[in-house]
């Protein structure tokens, strides 16, 4: 099993692309090393956070949103064959959101047997 953990940068994307966190992905169900399925999840504490997600799949971006709550478990972003990288950025969850809530991410995968 391969495991990578990291942190989503603070600040909001609205007019500030430097607040985006770019996450390269291992190849799903293939690649030179022979990875199996890839899973990406997010978690937070000290408040709720809303994320804009953009997943690059060799020619286009798949854009969406995730709500990550401090009272809930981790939230998974679906990864498909051919996905190569993710751009994650904060967007306002509510009027109290200041873009500082700590958010972590985790990438999990296993080697093919």
């Amino acid at each position: 099993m391969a495991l990578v953990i990291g942190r989503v940068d603070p600040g909001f994307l609205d007019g500030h692309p430097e607040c985006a966190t770019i996450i390269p992905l291992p190849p799903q169900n293939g690649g030179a090393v022979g990875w199996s399925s890839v899973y990406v999840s997010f978690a937070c504490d000290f408040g709720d956070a809303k994320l804009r997600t953009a997943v690059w799949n060799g020619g286009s971006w798949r854009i969406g949103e995730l709500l990550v709550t401090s009272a809930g478990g981790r939230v998974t972003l679906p990864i498909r064959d051919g996905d190569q990288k993710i751009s994650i950025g904060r967007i306002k969850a509510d009027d109290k959101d200041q873009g500082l809530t700590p958010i972590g991410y985790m990438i999990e995968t296993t080697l093919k047997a």
Side-chain angles (χ1 to χ4, degrees), residues 32-95:
V33 178
W35 298 116
S36 188
S37 296
V38 175
Y39 304 94
V40 178
S41 57
F42 299 88
C44 68
D45 194 4
F46 303 103
D48 298 345
K50 196 173 194 180
L51 300 175
R52 174 199 179 265
T53 64
V55 183
W56 176 255
N57 189 303
S60 64
W61 290 97
R62 189 170 67 252
I63 310 271
E65 292 181 0
L66 285 177
L67 180 62
V68 185
T69 64
S70 62
R74 61 187 184 179
V75 178
T76 301
L77 177 65
I79 301 300
R80 302 177 188 164
D81 288 349
D83 288 353
Q84 299 174 14
K85 60 185 174 182
I86 303 169
S87 174
I88 300 293
R90 297 166 190 259
I91 54 179
K92 277 200 171 270
D94 57 34
D95 290 337

